[in-house]
C-alpha cells in the first residue's frame, strides 16, 4: 500500500492506494501546530484490509515528524485514537 499526501494552505488529505483503488483521510489546518482530521473515506472494496488504520497511523507519524497536534473530529479516527493510547502525545 502506498500513502501520499496532498497539501493546501488550509489543509489537505492523505491518500492510500491499494489495488488501483484510493481511500482518503482529509484534514484542515487550525494553526501551524494543529490539524483537524475531519473525514476518512474507505471504499467498500478496501474495507477490512487495514487501509483506514494505515491512514490513521500515517497521520500520527506525520504529526510527530511535523511537531503538531491532531484534533479528531472524524468518528473513525477518534475511535482509533481511543484504542491507541500511545498516540496521546499528538492527539488532543
Amino acid at each position: 500500500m502506498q500513502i501520499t499526501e496532498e497539501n493546501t494552505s488550509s489543509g489537505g488529505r492523505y491518500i492510500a492506494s491499494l489495488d488501483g483503488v484510493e481511500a482518503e483521510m482529509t484534514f484542515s489546518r487550525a494553526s501551524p501546530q494543529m490539524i483537524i482530521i475531519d473525514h476518512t473515506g474507505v471504499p467498500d472494496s478496501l474495507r477490512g484490509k487495514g487501509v483506514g488504520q494505515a491512514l490513521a497511523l500515517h497521520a500520527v507519524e506525520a504529526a510527530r515528524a511535523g511537531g503538531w497536534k491532531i484534533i479528531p473530529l472524524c468518528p473513525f479516527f477518534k475511535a482509533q485514537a481511543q484504542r491507541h493510547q500511545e498516540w496521546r502525545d499528538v492527539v488532543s
Side-chain angles (χ1 to χ4, degrees), residues 9-11 27-36 67-69 71:
S9 60
S10 62
F27 62 89
S28 56
R29 189 159 290 286
S31 74
Q33 293 80 34
M34 184 90 51
I35 67 167
I36 299 167
W68 62 73
K69 300 281 187 187
I71 298 172

Side-chain angles (χ1 to χ4, degrees), residues 9-77:
S9 60
S10 62
R13 67 185 187 136
Y14 302 120
I15 306 138
S17 298
L18 182 65
D19 300 329
V21 181
E22 289 187 349
E24 71 175 0
M25 179 173 282
T26 61
F27 62 89
S28 56
R29 189 159 290 286
S31 74
Q33 293 80 34
M34 184 90 51
I35 67 167
I36 299 167
I37 293 183
D38 50 26
H39 172 74
T40 303
V42 178
D44 289 341
S45 64
L46 295 182
R47 291 188 189 247
K49 296 184 178 182
V51 177
Q53 176 66 29
L55 285 166
L57 181 59
H58 183 84
V60 168
E61 290 171 348
R64 285 180 178 144
W68 62 73
K69 300 281 187 187
I70 297 170
I71 298 172
L73 292 187
C74 165
F76 173 80
F77 187 87

